[in-house]
């Protein structure tokens, strides 16, 4: 196909330079795919007229699912017929994004046979993204994926593909098993992931510690972030080694502690754990000396989202501390109550965070059966306009 | 329909356990500590003394099957076929033999993959699809990321920064890239109200849904040339694109007015300061493909000023919090404009309600 390739001078410029080039990727795929070849043409066109050339929507999917495929059509189909239909398939990634090469090669073989040969590893929610296929290819790709142990992820108004950090597989800070929980929840919510039944998307992300490597607090409606309840585990000798090796423990560790709960006298690190907010800074700086405590679990937060529709939100505390052990009954019951309430009463395209804003966190808690706790707020209300549902009347 | 009975559905993803290398299975949940012996290389030490080496390489996120196979070849050669990816699109090779690290890094260099992104460094730029695949993109994603990483790669391959630097790009305010909590966020924006196609709108869109989609109630139903359609009160439009998401007959894409805004000082980690949103630094820069020089220069300048002034471990937002916003604008030379002052919901909570002013 390369001999008939149209010139792409603007994109060619992006093949230069030290960072790996996405244009090189498109050209490699174009060696075996007319779709990838014409995608280069579409993008060069956009680089010239500074506007995208994709139309949204159209209901496309695989039988029995209402999610996992994003319909996409070109607005210049006569010029680029091979990408007139250019749908995306979201393939649910293995928890923690671990692979063995034989599995990854299998996905490549399927995708080379049926699609553009271009992927994202990975998409924003975590899925393997198969980028660009025709409607007729959806069922064959789906059949071959499931035959090889892969399934689709979520899209639209569903529980989206849950994702998590590397967790206990390769991190000493994991306060719960992020991979086991994510796999369990993903299996538990297969129906809710594949068949839209909610007011809008519902994202679940699990980070093993407050460093939050999967950005759960910003990117998930339900954010599960590891923490601990007891004291930071200190190896005083190892702290001394850091100091001897040149680390200014007072300036770099103690002075940067947000709750100023630690002091270093040159021989011993003294931590007032009752004042500690468990932010991770001291542990991040001295991983050989400090570790999260032993009584580990997670903080459950609710409502994080990007701006659409009514403004961006960070998740806020719903359950300050929850032990997370299989079969995760307490967490699943909580999620079940949230999905039921918001599913029934949320408006179309209203994320759960916006729903809580509309009905009030207090009323939301009451409806899902959680007691209000001071940990849920920065401070009690300042606004004196207080709602009460009932009032007394003089008996007659 | 006999094939329906055979058709597999709802099997979920492959179980992660089958993809974990033996050393991880043996040390699962029993890691003791880790170190960063050099940029891009981690060593995790288990309670038993086992040592797992990770080599982290940057990728363009958009990968061809040919390149994925090339990556698999390296994982087969050095890692018994085990590898993983990070939440920021990096590739991680998992090794048990430290003698193989240099050989792997040399092979990665030959294949064009830089090694880095660890510790106090720039990690890969999380980004969206842009003009490659998105209908609502106000800018391209991959092109800006490539142009920027070509310039900033030295901060990826070394650990020469005061703290972690997390850059993200979203090509519109839908923010598939969730850029809103990044040290530096690059956000595509539209700046003109939707151009309504009154012929197609009544056929394609549900009027009540379109009207309800607008967060500022700028959309009203009207009757035009015998059609039931909508009109937009343009002075209320903040170019969010919600209407276009529910109604393709209301496109916002516009080459003259679309472009890029730059936001700073957000983070998701709880380390030290609380997680928080990025704040507006530069309201608008033009789309100037293929290398967006205005955007690249602006981001480089922000990185340089922060790197020169921040204390160890101080993220962009923590540095700005310490020096104050007036000084941030002075040091960076960025003009403070009307657009920097919020005027959406709860805007007043962002006004300075004291006389505490750092100068």
């Amino acid at each position: 196909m390369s001999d008939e390739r149209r010139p792409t001078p603007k994109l060619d410029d992006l093949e230069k330079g030290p960072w790996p080039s996405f244009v090189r990727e498109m050209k490699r795929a174009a060696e075996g795919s007319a779709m990838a070849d014409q995608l280069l043409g579409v993008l060069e066109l956009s680089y010239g007229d500074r506007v995208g050339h994709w139309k949204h929507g159209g209901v496309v999917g695989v039988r029995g699912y209402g999610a996992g495929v994003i319909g996409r059509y070109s607005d210049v189909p006569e010029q680029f017929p091979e990408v007139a239909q250019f749908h995306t398939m979201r393939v649910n990634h293995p928890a923690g994004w671990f692979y063995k090469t034989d599995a990854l090669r299998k996905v490549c073989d399927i995708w080379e046979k049926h699609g553009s040969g271009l992927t994202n590893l990975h998409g924003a929610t975590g899925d393997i993204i198969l980028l660009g296929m025709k409607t007729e290819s959806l069922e064959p790709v789906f059949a071959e994926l499931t035959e090889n142990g892969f399934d689709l992820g979520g899209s639209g108004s569903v529980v989206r593909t849950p994702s998590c950090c590397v967790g206990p597989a390769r991190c000493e800070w994991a306060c719960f098993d992020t991979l086991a929980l994510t796999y369990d929840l993903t299996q538990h919510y297969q129906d809710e992931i594949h068949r839209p039944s909610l007011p809008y998307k519902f994202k679940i992300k699990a980070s093993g510690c407050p460093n939050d490597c999967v950005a759960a607090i910003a990117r998930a409606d339900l954010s599960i972030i590891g923490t601990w309840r007891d004291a930071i585990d200190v190896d005083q000798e190892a702290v001394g080694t850091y100091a001897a090796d040149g680390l200014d423990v007072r300036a770099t560790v103690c002075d940067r502690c947000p709750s100023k709960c630690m002091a270093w006298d040159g021989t011993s690190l003294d931590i007032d754990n009752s004042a500690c907010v468990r932010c991770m800074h001291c542990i991040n700086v001295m991983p050989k000396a400090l570790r999260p405590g032993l009584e580990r679990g997670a903080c459950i937060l609710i409502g994080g989202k990007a701006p659409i529709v009514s403004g961006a939100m960070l998740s806020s505390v719903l359950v300050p501390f929850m032990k997370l052990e299989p079969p995760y009954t307490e967490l699943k019951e909580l999620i079940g109550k949230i999905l039921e309430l918001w599913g029934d009463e949320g408006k179309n395209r209203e994320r759960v965070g916006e729903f809580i804003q509309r009905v009030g966190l207090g009323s939301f808690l009451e409806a899902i059966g959680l007691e209000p706790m001071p940990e849920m707020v920065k401070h009690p209300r300042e606004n004196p306009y207080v709602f009460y549902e009932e009032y007394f009347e003089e008996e007659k | 329909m006999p094939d329906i009975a055979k058709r597999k559905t709802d099997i979920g993803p492959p179980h992660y356990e089958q993809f974990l290398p033996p050393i991880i299975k043996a040390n699962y949940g029993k890691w003791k500590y880790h170190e960063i012996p050099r940029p891009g290389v981690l060593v995790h030490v288990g309670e038993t003394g086992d040592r797992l080496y990770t080599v982290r390489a940057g990728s363009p996120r958009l990968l061809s099957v040919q390149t994925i196979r090339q990556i698999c070849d390296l994982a087969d050669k050095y890692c018994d076929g085990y590898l993983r990816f990070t939440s920021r699109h990096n590739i991680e090779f998992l090794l048990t033999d430290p003698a193989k690290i240099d050989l792997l890094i040399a092979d990665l260099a030959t294949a064009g993959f830089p090694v880095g992104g660890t510790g106090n460094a720039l990690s890969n730029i999380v980004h969206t699809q842009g003009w490659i695949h998105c209908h609502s993109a106000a800018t391209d994603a991959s092109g800006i990321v490539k142009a920027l990483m070509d310039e900033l790669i030295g901060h990826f391959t070394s650990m020469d920064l005061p703290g972690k630097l997390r850059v993200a790009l979203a090509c519109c305010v839908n923010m598939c890239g969730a850029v809103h909590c990044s040290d530096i966020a690059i956000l595509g924006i539209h700046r003109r109200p939707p151009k309504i196609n009154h012929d197609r709108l009544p056929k394609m869109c549900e009027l009540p849904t379109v009207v309800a989609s607008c967060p500022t109630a700028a959309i009203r139903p009207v009757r035009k040339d015998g059609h039931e359609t909508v009109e937009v009160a343009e002075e209320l439009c903040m170019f969010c694109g919600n209407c276009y998401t529910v109604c393709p007959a209301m496109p916002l894409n516009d080459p003259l007015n679309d472009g890029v805004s730059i936001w700073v000082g957000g983070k998701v980690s709880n380390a030290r300061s609380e997680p928080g949103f990025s704040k507006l630094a530069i309201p608008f820069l033009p789309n100037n493909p293929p290398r967006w020089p205005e955007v690249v220069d602006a981001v480089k300048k922000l990185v340089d000023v922060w790197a020169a002034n921040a204390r160890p471990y101080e993220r962009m937002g923590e540095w700005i919090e310490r020096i104050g916003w007036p000084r941030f604008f002075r040091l960076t030379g960025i003009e403070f404009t009307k657009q920097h002052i919020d005027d959406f919901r709860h805007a007043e909570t962002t006004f300075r309600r004291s006389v505490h002013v750092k100068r």
Side-chain angles (χ1 to χ4, degrees):
Chain A
M1 264 155 267
S2 52
D3 50 334
E4 48 187 84
R5 183 178 295 157
R6 56 188 66 69
T8 53
K10 291 195 173 65
L11 291 178
D12 296 350
D13 189 61
L14 291 171
E15 283 187 280
K16 299 170 198 149
W19 190 254
S21 168
F22 71 100
V23 176
R24 186 190 74 147
E25 294 306 308
M26 294 169 78
K27 288 192 174 177
R28 286 188 93 169
E31 283 163 23
S33 160
M35 296 181 83
D37 183 52
Q38 296 205 348
L39 180 66
L40 280 160
V42 175
L43 192 61
E44 182 74 14
L45 180 64
S46 285
Y47 273 41
D49 61 16
R50 292 177 293 138
V51 70
H53 286 286
W54 301 104
K55 297 194 290 182
H56 73 118
V59 179
V60 288
V62 300
R63 268 184 300 146
Y65 282 24
V69 179
I70 319 296
R72 193 68 78 224
Y73 299 90
S74 171
D75 74 354
V76 281
E78 297 81 12
Q79 213 175 330
F80 301 103
E82 284 296 325
V83 294
Q85 301 166 351
F86 201 66
H87 312 313
T88 301
M89 194 173 260
R90 293 186 182 159
V91 180
N92 199 144
H93 64 292
W97 297 290
F98 280 95
Y99 294 95
K100 192 120 202 269
T101 50
D102 51 358
L104 215 41
R105 287 179 198 278
K106 203 71 195 166
V107 174
C108 289
D109 293 345
I110 297 168
W111 190 230
E112 185 171 49
K113 192 162 100 189
H114 295 288
S116 73
L118 285 167
T119 73
N120 292 142
L121 294 175
H122 293 82
T125 304
D127 302 278
I128 303 166
I129 304 294
L130 303 181
L131 197 65
M133 65 202 301
K134 294 172 185 172
T135 310
E136 69 201 29
S137 305
L138 293 170
E139 278 297 328
V141 171
F142 178 66
E144 289 187 40
L145 284 170
T146 50
E147 207 46 55
N148 287 281
F150 284 92
D151 197 349
L152 303 193
S155 65
S157 296
V158 300
V159 172
R160 295 294 184 89
T161 307
S163 73
C164 65
C165 70
V166 72
R170 201 206 52 200
C171 186
E172 65 271 29
W173 299 330
C175 293
F176 65 96
D177 190 338
T178 53
L179 292 91
L181 174 68
T182 299
Y183 182 77
D184 188 299
L185 291 178
T186 307
Q187 294 297 344
H188 186 76
Y189 291 114
Q190 280 297 292
D191 193 29
E192 289 82 354
I193 289 170
H194 292 140
R195 290 163 201 94
S197 59
L198 298 170
Y200 207 7
K201 63 187 90 171
F202 188 84
K203 298 189 175 188
I204 302 174
K205 288 188 192 296
S207 280
C209 85
N211 282 322
D212 196 1
C213 285
V214 287
I217 201 162
R219 304 182 72 166
D221 298 271
L222 190 89
S223 318
I224 306 164
I225 301 177
T227 185
W228 64 96
R229 274 200 291 209
D230 52 347
I232 291 175
D233 180 14
V234 187
D235 178 344
Q236 295 289 358
E237 201 179 318
V239 179
T241 307
Y242 275 107
D245 290 347
L247 179 73
D248 186 340
V249 176
R250 190 168 298 144
T252 310
V253 181
C254 302
D255 291 353
R256 294 289 151 78
C257 169
S259 51
K260 299 285 178 282
C261 73
M262 47 183 64
W264 167 247
D265 62 5
T267 53
S268 168
L269 186 72
D270 178 38
I271 303 179
D272 175 5
N273 279 283
S274 67
C276 172
V277 292
R278 294 162 187 86
C279 83
M280 290 299 289
H281 173 69
C282 58
I283 299 174
N284 290 343
V285 178
M286 303 192 292
K288 286 175 89 167
L290 306 181
R291 303 171 77 182
L294 296 173
E295 202 185 327
R296 298 177 177 191
C299 183
I300 315 296
L301 304 93
I302 185 92
K305 60 184 284 293
I308 301 295
V309 173
S310 70
M313 297 173 71
L314 289 168
S315 287
S316 68
V317 172
L318 193 61
V319 181
F321 188 86
M322 187 187 278
K323 281 269 181 200
L324 287 174
E325 307 286 349
Y328 312 108
T329 310
E330 189 183 355
L331 180 64
K332 283 178 189 161
E333 282 177 6
L334 177 67
I335 298 173
K337 283 180 195 160
I338 293 168
L339 292 183
E340 192 183 343
L341 174 69
W342 168 65
D344 285 348
E345 298 187 17
K347 293 181 186 171
N348 182 35
R349 299 187 72 239
E350 181 179 56
R351 295 279 285 271
V352 73
E354 289 161 329
F355 171 72
I356 292 171
Q357 220 167 28
R358 175 162 64 84
V359 302
L361 178 60
S363 300
F364 177 78
L365 294 172
E366 206 166 59
I368 61 169
L370 282 184
E371 289 296 322
M373 296 170 77
E375 286 87 344
M376 296 171 177
V377 294
K378 273 190 186 161
H379 54 74
R381 73 161 72 221
E382 296 166 332
N383 148 42
Y385 297 144
V386 183
F387 288 103
Y388 286 92
E389 289 86 12
E390 290 173 36
Y391 51 84
F392 299 104
E393 295 228 59
E394 288 290 344
E395 283 182 36
K396 284 176 186 160
Chain B
M1 306 275 278
D3 68 316
I4 285 184
K6 276 195 295 179
R7 198 164 172 270
K8 281 189 193 173
T9 65
D10 302 288
I11 59 171
H15 198 288
Y16 57 91
E17 237 171 57
Q18 60 188 293
F19 300 141
L20 300 178
I23 182 170
I24 284 187
K25 282 190 181 156
N27 292 277
Y28 196 91
K30 291 183 279 188
W31 297 104
K32 196 170 175 200
Y33 68 90
H34 77 278
E35 292 179 292
I36 309 175
R38 58 196 267 199
V41 179
L42 306 167
V43 54
H44 284 82
V45 182
E47 306 279 6
T48 58
D50 282 355
R51 297 169 84 83
L52 169 67
Y53 299 89
T54 300
V55 174
R56 181 179 293 172
S59 105
R61 184 177 97 121
L62 184 74
L63 291 172
S64 63
V65 293
Q66 290 83 353
T67 297
I68 297 172
R69 290 188 186 118
Q70 190 183 10
I71 293 164
C72 287
D73 289 343
L74 292 173
D76 286 338
K77 186 171 168 189
Y78 294 105
C79 314
D80 300 321
Y82 296 98
L83 75 164
R84 75 175 289 267
F85 292 80
T86 73
S87 56
R88 303 194 79 88
H89 318 312
N90 295 310
I91 310 156
E92 289 189 335
F93 296 89
L94 306 164
L95 301 90
T96 48
D97 180 0
K100 290 182 178 171
I101 294 174
D102 283 332
L103 300 170
L104 169 60
I105 291 175
D107 274 0
L108 283 167
T110 307
F113 293 104
V115 168
T118 52
N120 288 340
L122 166 68
S123 188
N124 207 342
I125 300 182
V126 169
H127 62 280
T128 55
Q129 302 289 15
W131 291 332
I132 284 178
H133 200 252
C134 188
H135 63 286
S136 62
T139 186
D140 190 36
S142 306
I144 300 179
V145 168
K146 162 69 176 154
L148 197 51
M149 286 306 282
D150 277 345
E151 293 292 328
L152 296 178
I153 188 168
H155 297 307
F156 179 86
T157 55
S158 73
M159 300 196 288
D160 62 352
L161 293 172
K164 290 186 188 296
L165 178 61
R166 297 290 176 256
V167 183
L169 183 149
C171 49
C172 82
V173 294
N174 263 311
M175 284 194 195
C176 304
V179 301
H180 55 310
C181 298
S182 304
D183 293 291
I184 299 177
I186 303 160
L187 175 65
I189 53 164
H190 302 293
R191 292 191 305 165
R192 73 158 284 167
K195 283 165 274 189
I196 303 171
N197 185 326
H198 292 292
D199 291 332
R200 292 171 69 214
L201 191 140
K203 294 173 215 144
M204 301 179 83
C205 313
E206 260 181 53
L207 290 187
T209 310
V210 179
V211 170
S213 73
C214 182
T216 63
I219 301 177
R220 293 184 285 246
V222 288
R223 199 168 168 82
K224 217 174 185 120
D225 305 326
H227 296 306
E228 295 296 333
T229 180
V230 299
E231 65 179 10
V232 175
E234 295 201 343
E235 71 280 7
L236 292 177
C237 180
M238 53 184 187
F239 325 109
C240 70
N242 266 306
C243 54
Y244 180 53
T245 298
V246 301
C247 177
M250 300 182 72
L252 281 91
N253 296 345
D254 182 83
L256 287 178
N257 295 286
D258 290 352
V260 166
S261 56
I262 311 276
W263 306 67
V264 296
K267 69 197 267 284
V268 293
S269 162
N270 283 269
R272 299 170 308 284
S273 55
E274 291 184 349
F277 294 118
S278 310
K279 279 86 174 164
L280 183 62
I282 303 175
F284 184 79
L285 293 168
N287 275 328
N288 195 356
R291 283 194 176 264
W292 279 264
E294 295 87 352
V295 177
V296 172
D297 288 351
V299 173
K300 265 175 70 182
K301 172 95 192 225
L302 286 165
V303 174
D304 288 348
V305 175
W306 164 69
N309 289 280
R311 294 173 179 166
Y313 288 94
E314 209 167 47
R315 298 274 295 258
M316 179 78 73
E318 296 167 323
W319 165 65
I320 298 170
E321 183 63 31
R322 175 166 61 80
I323 65 165
W325 284 100
R327 201 156 150 230
F328 166 81
F329 281 96
R330 274 204 309 280
L331 283 173
T332 55
I334 296 169
E335 187 194 358
F336 189 82
T337 66
K338 175 186 166 189
Q339 276 78 29
H340 286 94
I341 302 174
D342 197 359
D343 46 15
F344 194 47
R345 284 175 202 162
H346 314 300
E348 73 288 352
T349 61
T350 68
F351 302 164
R352 186 175 307 283
R353 297 179 290 187
S354 78
V355 292
H356 294 196
V357 181
K358 279 182 192 162
R359 292 188 168 85

